[in-house]
Amino acid sequence: STGANAIPKSTSGNNISSSPKFVPLAKGKGSPIKKDNTPVKTTGKKTPVILPKNIGKTSLMPKTPPNRSASPLKPRPTDNSLINKFVEDFVNSEREYLSDITMIQKIYVMSLKANAQQLIPEEAIQSIFQNIEELIALHKQLIENFDQSQSISAECIGSGFLSLADSWDVYTTYFKMHNSSLETLNHFRQKNKAFANFLNECKSIKACKSLDIQDFLQKPIQRVIAYPSVLEHLIQHCKIRTSEYITVYRALTMMENLSKKLQITKTTTQNQKRLEEIQLQLQKQYPKIKILGTHG
């Protein structure tokens, strides 16, 4: 996404750590070659494979995270200023995101609830803004975790995510109800002129940055699905078999699993919506037919 609270882009180069060097084979011969590029005569016996001496010392290294190939990780840059800048930009964008969702609560939700004319029913307010308060509480705590750290680093970011492992599921609820939220919003915007005027007035407020409420309601979805990319970038700058690497790897795995779960939730919700629409059409066309085993 674009804007001040967009996830910072990777600033690293494309250098890949070199692979172990093996004795090359003569082209088309299937046998080793000498330094003068002439094939070595073989006796037909299989040449034993010589393993690296440290092959038995890598058992503590975490396995390759899901959805990635086992290619070598990019080495940490000699100048850490680039990765430090990336971490700093990410934390600042997190603060900006928290400001945005807090603004939704203060300008839209609280104003609608305090309005004496009650522009829309309480149930509609709940349907549109769902569990936005839970998202605010989650990200306030995440920022506090960052601020309590002596220095912001890749390990600090990973630890911040892991410390809230039991809280990220609030996004599942948000994903599940998002389509319903937009339907309710658009219904009352079209049917209720006073509500539509209220939304336009809010849009003109400086804190809203001329963005429509629908743009703000989309931000949590855009934000949470971008976290794996952030952690993916960070882990490529961590030294393997260090606490920093393991912490970021665990956070990455956790957020990837959350993204998979959210995608399943989204697909299930969409399928359920299509099924309900089909049922409604069939009931209108064939009112005497029981649909999908309904009883009466």
Side-chain angles (χ1 to χ4, degrees):
S1 61
T2 58
N5 66 338
I7 296 290
K9 296 182 178 179
S10 170
T11 55
S12 64
N14 295 320
N15 294 327
I16 305 294
S17 58
S18 59
S19 304
K21 294 183 179 179
F22 298 97
V23 178
L25 300 179
K27 187 175 181 181
K29 298 295 182 179
S31 58
I33 59 175
K34 299 179 181 179
K35 293 183 179 180
D36 59 0
N37 293 326
T38 59
V40 177
K41 293 183 179 180
T42 59
T43 61
K45 297 182 180 179
K46 294 184 178 180
T47 304
V49 178
I50 302 176
L51 298 177
K53 294 182 180 180
N54 63 345
I55 191 67
K57 300 179 181 181
T58 59
S59 58
L60 296 179
M61 186 176 70
K63 297 179 180 180
T64 302
N67 299 328
R68 284 183 302 281
S69 64
S71 59
L73 294 173
K74 295 179 181 179
R76 180 188 294 271
T78 303
D79 182 4
N80 286 334
S81 61
L82 291 179
I83 190 61
N84 291 339
K85 181 65 166 58
F86 180 86
V87 170
E88 180 183 352
D89 288 346
F90 168 71
V91 174
N92 289 337
S93 71
E94 189 65 30
R95 296 184 195 279
E96 189 71 20
Y97 171 64
L98 175 59
S99 176
D100 284 344
I101 58 179
T102 302
M103 183 276 303
I104 295 175
Q105 174 71 10
K106 290 182 176 180
I107 294 182
Y108 288 96
V109 179
M110 294 180 65
S111 297
L112 285 170
K113 289 183 176 181
N115 192 299
Q117 299 178 358
Q118 194 176 20
L119 297 178
I120 59 176
E122 181 75 21
E123 296 79 8
I125 297 175
Q126 180 61 40
S127 175
I128 293 173
F129 299 101
Q130 308 175 61
N131 61 335
I132 195 70
E133 293 181 1
E134 293 180 321
L135 300 187
I136 293 172
L138 168 64
H139 289 274
K140 275 185 177 179
Q141 186 60 56
L142 184 62
I143 291 295
E144 287 182 12
N145 292 343
F146 293 157
D147 290 340
Q148 290 173 0
S149 178
Q150 294 182 350
S151 61
I152 302 297
S153 62
E155 185 168 9
C156 169
I157 300 299
S159 297
F161 277 90
L162 290 173
S163 66
L164 297 169
D166 296 331
S167 302
W168 290 105
D169 205 45
V170 296
Y171 274 97
T172 303
T173 302
Y174 194 87
F175 260 66
K176 184 176 181 180
M177 301 303 296
H178 184 63
N179 287 340
S180 176
S181 166
L182 298 183
E183 288 176 0
T184 304
L185 171 65
N186 292 328
H187 170 78
F188 282 96
R189 194 204 296 261
Q190 295 171 7
K191 301 294 183 180
N192 189 326
K193 186 175 180 180
F195 178 62
N197 290 337
F198 166 77
L199 295 179
N200 289 332
E201 290 175 3
C202 291
K203 185 177 179 179
S204 64
I205 297 175
K206 184 177 180 180
C208 292
K209 311 167 191 175
S210 299
L211 295 176
D212 185 71
I213 179 57
Q214 191 163 328
D215 297 321
F216 283 105
L217 293 177
Q218 187 70 16
K219 283 179 178 288
I221 291 179
Q222 296 171 337
R223 188 74 186 178
V224 72
I225 63 177
Y227 284 139
S229 296
V230 172
L231 296 166
E232 174 84 47
H233 177 72
L234 290 178
I235 201 172
Q236 293 175 347
H237 294 268
C238 298
K239 292 181 179 179
I240 300 177
R241 295 196 297 275
T242 62
S243 62
E244 180 184 54
Y245 177 92
I246 294 174
T247 299
V248 177
Y249 163 65
R250 289 176 57 206
L252 171 59
T253 302
M254 179 183 72
M255 298 311 291
E256 283 184 329
N257 290 337
L258 176 63
S259 293
K260 293 177 184 178
K261 183 177 181 179
L262 294 178
Q263 185 58 45
I264 293 173
T265 299
K266 179 180 178 181
T267 302
T268 302
T269 303
Q270 291 174 341
N271 291 341
Q272 172 113 26
K273 180 65 177 176
R274 293 192 193 101
L275 180 60
E276 291 175 355
E277 292 174 350
I278 293 173
Q279 286 179 323
L280 184 59
Q281 292 175 359
L282 290 175
Q283 287 174 350
K284 288 181 178 179
Q285 294 178 12
Y286 309 101
K288 296 183 179 181
I289 297 180
K290 298 292 188 281
I291 304 299
L292 295 181
T294 56
H295 299 281

